[in-house]
Amino acid sequence: MPSLAVWKFASCDGCQLTILDCEDELLTLAEQVQIATFAEASSAMVGGPYDLSLVEGSITTPSDAERIREIREQSTTLVAIGACATAGGIQALRNFADIGEFTSVVYARPDYIHTLATSTPPSAHVTVDYELRGCPIDRRQLLDTLAALLVGRKPRLPAATVCTECKRSGVACVTVAEGIPCLGPVTHAGCGALCPRHHRGCYGCFGPAEDPNVAGLALKLVDDGMPRADVVLALRTFAAWAEPFRAESRRDEEGEP
Amino acid sequence: MTHRAPASRTLKVDAIARVEGEGAMYVDIRGGEVHDVQLQIYEPPRFFEAFLRGRRYTEPADITARICGICPVAYQMSACAAIEDACGATVDGPLRDLRRLLYCGEWIESHALHVHLLHAPDFLGYAGAVDLAADHADLVQRGLDIKKVGNQVLEVVGGRAIHPVNVKVGGFYRVPTRAELAPLAERLRWALDASIDVVRWVSTFEFPDHHHPLEVVALRHPDEYAVVGGRLVSDRGLDIVPAEFDDHVVETHVERSTALHAHLVERGEFLVGPMARFALNRSQLAPPALAVADEVGLGADERNPFRSIVVRSVEVVHAVAEALAIIEAYEPPDRPAVDVSPRAGVGFGWTEAPRGTLWHRYELDEDGTILDARIVPPTAQNQPAIEHDLFHLVADHAGLDDAALQHLCEQAIRNFDPCISCATHFLDLRVDRS
């Protein structure tokens, strides 16, 4: 039986919780794989190597930078799950700031804290085989990916935009119909256009789509009345450090037009 | 049989399993006496309070949800309460009821997860729920099915089970229709019976005898088993409003933990969470929850942390019954949210997260930019209480051999359902301006 390991780095636990949220499939899954290591779910921890590792969270400490290398060496296939593990997560906002100042704001004794100046995804440290986007990941996408890897096919992880998902599902465009700002045109698909379905603009929690025109959308948002400072905030959330969002949010400070 | 334990030894558990987040435990016994017990939290810090500065007043509902994937609604609700307080807005009527309904979903999901997947295996001698399921698939599947009902409530009202997208300051982006809630009621009616059976089941477990009472602290509301809003009270006379929290609860930073330790001024450790709520507000439980608590002999004086699994199960019955009552009485509000206009000021808010009282404080400028943020999560408050409890547990069982003592201590930590991911993200956010 193939072995599965689930690993946590800096994160909220929500993506690994998604595994336990597969209430109808969990016990069947447990018959198909040996859950070798999953600290949140079991105190039995079996040593490597592992056929499949799911990695949640971002790398923020020197020891975690070492640990992700060891996990890579022990894993045949490594799948990064969620915004922290694919873009650095919300905690990557430190990358735009001074970590010393952050530490002194939060902790009375900054000298007790050992942290890196940046929060980065595992892919900045090791080779990652597949990435599941989202804050959190989508349960159906997780199940489909596990099923694919178990039967030896490539997971289906469409690189379309939320905007495309929205059109396909027949939801009225919140921007066109009501002038609600929306990151759907530049955001990676996978959620099923959840926010527009709830009468809300997409807030980008699946990170940038492939080759997104972020600068174009930013101009449109400003044209529609959003202050440029708020556009920067909108790009600096759960996938702030992903290159296309990062570059656009930094355009002003780098002195470009 | 246990071996005779050496008089001086140290025990270390480097990674505590079946808790949310990353923690370790250290026990030091010298000459047969317990010298030190430490719960070490090494979850890496994420600095939420630092990067919330400069964000808009509309953002903490989404941002602070990411502190914890298991209790995001608690963060959303406490954040909204604090910001609405700062802005002088009130959310009541059907919008408040919908918030309570959403919260019921989270209590059901979080408690069912802990009871069945994290805690029950301890009492039945399994490493986890998957091993438990090999022998008792029906019991585990029933737990998963109850958990799923909680997630369905979160999905219908909040749009997503983890990090709901439909919550905003002032209310919701879109409110459900009565027809959308109807299928939930059907599932909840099943869950009511099932969760009552769970209480009966877990109450038959064997519980180590263990009582070292702590001051119990929880919200209290005149009309409800408090979840959103109320005063913070204790069994030793605490009775305060959110703005007074700071005067009564102090946090200190210790080297072994990236989470701060909270104490009541001049009184010390205290306990928040299901055991505390049950002790203080038992009479306000929904009738089916009260009835099954009576049936299994669970009284307001229950202080054995090992029995917290029974208390948590009773709270699931309560949350299911509350959710049903809210859905049955629901009339959609005229609009999905009240207007909340920013103004300069400070706001405070608290709610009862599944693991206990969660307090937020925000300082805003006149255009709604956050100048300062502080968050005190339940596990930071409980951390000294957990250590206190472990200290006495080890003292009472110092004769056990290392393996048995370690197992007992790990179980004792899980009694408190610590959410280490939460605790680490909330340290003292106070800026020293001197």
Side-chain angles (χ1 to χ4, degrees):
Chain A
M1 210 190 289
S3 58
L4 169 71
V6 182
W7 308 100
K8 174 186 160 64
F9 290 83
S11 67
C12 77
D13 285 43
C15 290
Q16 50 176 321
L17 179 64
T18 305
I19 303 166
L20 303 179
D21 275 359
C22 300
E23 290 99 354
D24 295 337
E25 300 87 4
L26 184 64
L27 296 184
T28 308
L29 175 69
E31 289 165 5
Q32 305 293 315
V33 297
Q34 180 208 10
I35 301 179
T37 293
F38 187 0
E40 184 169 325
S42 174
S43 44
M45 298 183 197
V46 181
Y50 310 99
D51 294 303
L52 172 60
S53 277
L54 300 178
V55 176
E56 169 191 279
S58 67
I59 311 303
T60 62
T61 65
S63 60
D64 277 355
E66 187 49 43
R67 190 160 63 99
I68 188 65
R69 285 193 187 87
E70 290 163 12
I71 289 168
R72 174 69 268 186
E73 282 171 17
Q74 295 281 308
S75 310
T76 308
T77 304
L78 189 152
V79 181
I81 58 169
C84 298
T86 57
I90 185 78
Q91 58 273 18
L93 291 178
R94 77 178 66 184
N95 302 6
F96 301 91
D98 171 2
I99 192 63
E101 194 267 346
F102 265 32
T103 308
S104 66
V105 165
V106 178
Y107 292 98
R109 291 291 304 267
D111 52 315
Y112 292 168
I113 299 297
H114 305 285
T115 191
L116 294 171
T118 55
S119 167
T120 47
S123 61
H125 302 261
V126 298
T127 303
V128 169
D129 298 304
Y130 300 101
E131 291 192 333
L132 293 188
R133 299 290 198 89
C135 186
I137 54 170
D138 180 77
R139 187 171 60 222
R140 290 150 300 182
Q141 215 166 54
L142 171 70
L143 283 169
D144 185 69
T145 300
L146 290 174
L149 294 172
L150 282 173
V151 302
R153 74 165 160 82
K154 218 176 156 212
R156 278 186 300 249
L157 298 167
T161 60
V162 169
C163 204
T164 315
E165 282 189 308
C166 212
K167 302 291 172 289
R168 279 189 188 139
S169 53
V171 178
C173 177
V174 293
T175 299
V176 171
E178 308 196 46
I180 297 173
C182 182
L183 297 185
V186 297
T187 299
H188 200 284
C191 67
L194 267 184
C195 286
R197 285 173 187 278
H198 286 82
H199 201 244
R200 172 181 191 179
C202 166
Y203 63 92
C205 75
F206 273 61
E210 257 174 44
D211 298 324
N213 184 357
V214 187
L217 180 69
L219 282 175
K220 160 81 178 153
L221 291 171
V222 171
D223 272 356
D224 287 352
M226 186 187 273
R228 172 70 193 173
D230 286 1
V231 174
V232 171
L233 288 179
L235 294 171
R236 287 190 183 173
T237 62
F238 313 104
W241 199 242
E243 213 282 324
F245 286 2
R246 184 203 329 173
E248 177 59 26
S249 81
R250 281 191 145 169
R251 199 158 50 87
D252 312 324
E253 57 199 73
E254 281 160 14
E256 292 174 35
Chain B
M1 278 304 294
T2 54
H3 308 287
R4 189 170 160 70
S8 297
R9 59 203 171 125
T10 57
L11 263 186
K12 281 170 78 175
V13 179
D14 290 332
I16 302 165
R18 279 184 280 131
V19 297
E20 286 89 28
E22 300 189 304
M25 182 185 68
Y26 172 78
V27 173
D28 183 8
I29 299 173
R30 293 186 193 172
E33 297 283 309
V34 186
H35 186 253
D36 194 15
V37 174
Q38 295 181 358
L39 180 63
Q40 301 168 331
I41 290 189
Y42 54 85
E43 175 97 9
R46 294 167 68 205
F47 305 105
F48 276 83
E49 294 91 337
F51 61 64
L52 279 165
R53 296 168 306 161
R55 305 297 303 207
R56 305 276 299 150
Y57 74 114
T58 48
E59 294 187 289
D62 291 321
I63 290 177
T64 66
R66 270 66 183 186
I67 286 161
C68 180
I70 293 120
C71 57
V73 170
Y75 285 92
Q76 296 186 319
M77 295 295 115
S78 287
C80 287
I83 289 162
E84 288 153 12
D85 180 50
C87 299
T90 306
V91 176
D92 52 16
L95 287 175
R96 182 174 183 277
D97 291 340
L98 275 179
R99 284 182 164 178
R100 287 171 55 227
L101 176 59
L102 184 69
Y103 224 136
C104 286
E106 179 157 290
W107 274 33
I108 297 166
E109 170 270 323
S110 175
H111 278 0
L113 170 78
H114 191 262
V115 167
H116 294 89
L117 274 64
L118 311 186
H119 210 191
D122 277 337
F123 295 95
L124 302 170
Y126 293 89
V130 166
D131 308 82
L132 175 59
D135 295 336
H136 301 286
D138 51 336
L139 294 176
V140 175
Q141 192 59 54
R142 178 179 65 186
L144 288 169
D145 290 344
I146 294 170
K147 177 172 167 298
K148 183 176 175 179
V149 176
N151 276 338
Q152 287 171 328
V153 172
L154 290 163
E155 285 168 5
V156 170
V157 182
R160 178 157 72 182
I162 300 169
H163 306 329
V165 300
N166 193 25
V167 172
K168 65 186 287 195
V169 168
F172 296 88
Y173 288 91
R174 176 189 179 281
V175 291
T177 61
R178 279 185 64 86
E180 284 170 317
L181 295 184
L184 280 183
E186 213 165 292
R187 294 301 301 147
L188 285 161
R189 275 188 279 273
W190 169 83
L192 187 60
D193 291 337
S195 60
I196 289 170
D197 285 341
V198 169
V199 176
R200 293 176 178 137
W201 171 55
V202 297
S203 68
T204 65
F205 292 174
E206 236 176 83
F207 301 100
D209 192 28
H210 179 55
H211 292 267
H212 288 281
L214 291 148
E215 180 161 1
V216 288
V217 174
L219 295 185
R220 177 177 281 158
H221 187 280
D223 310 317
E224 302 158 1
Y225 190 80
V227 180
V228 293
R231 297 176 67 90
L232 191 70
V233 302
S234 82
D235 61 342
R236 297 182 196 169
L238 184 76
D239 186 2
I240 58 173
V241 297
E244 295 172 310
F245 184 84
D246 242 2
D247 303 332
H248 293 265
V249 178
V250 290
E251 291 182 296
T252 52
H253 184 192
V254 296
E255 184 164 14
R256 61 179 174 276
S257 178
T258 50
L260 296 190
H261 280 207
H263 295 86
L264 281 171
V265 172
E266 291 175 6
R267 296 222 284 277
E269 309 91 345
F270 62 102
L271 181 70
V272 297
M275 297 282 294
R277 290 191 292 254
F278 185 81
L280 293 164
N281 302 323
R282 182 182 187 276
S283 65
Q284 292 175 303
L285 285 166
L290 199 51
V292 73
D294 283 341
E295 183 191 319
V296 302
L298 194 69
D301 57 349
E302 182 58 65
R303 293 291 187 279
N304 181 352
F306 287 92
R307 281 202 210 299
S308 65
I309 189 169
V310 190
V311 175
R312 235 169 251 118
S313 301
V314 168
E315 284 200 336
V316 174
V317 178
H318 171 78
V320 170
E322 275 282 283
L324 261 176
I326 293 167
I327 289 174
E328 277 159 13
Y330 177 67
E331 292 295 340
D334 302 335
R335 48 186 187 153
V338 300
D339 293 329
V340 180
S341 308
R343 66 181 191 193
V346 178
F348 307 85
W350 54 25
T351 62
E352 283 289 334
R355 287 161 195 76
T357 314
L358 167 60
W359 180 80
H360 286 222
R361 173 194 182 277
Y362 296 95
E363 183 182 351
L364 307 179
D365 74 7
E366 67 279 0
D367 72 355
T369 298
I370 295 167
L371 300 175
D372 189 48
R374 275 194 70 206
I375 300 169
V376 181
T379 295
Q381 297 174 67
N382 277 345
Q383 203 180 339
I386 298 172
E387 288 188 342
H388 168 94
D389 184 76
L390 282 173
F391 189 94
H392 289 285
L393 188 77
V394 172
D396 293 348
H397 297 87
L400 291 178
D401 69 23
D402 283 4
L405 186 61
Q406 176 180 329
H407 180 69
L408 189 67
C409 287
E410 286 189 62
Q411 223 183 314
I413 291 170
R414 286 191 285 268
N415 287 338
F416 295 91
D417 188 10
C419 186
I420 297 170
S421 301
C422 282
T424 304
H425 312 138
F426 309 101
L427 316 162
D428 192 341
L429 244 254
R430 203 166 341 188
V431 184
D432 186 353
R433 301 183 199 282
S434 61

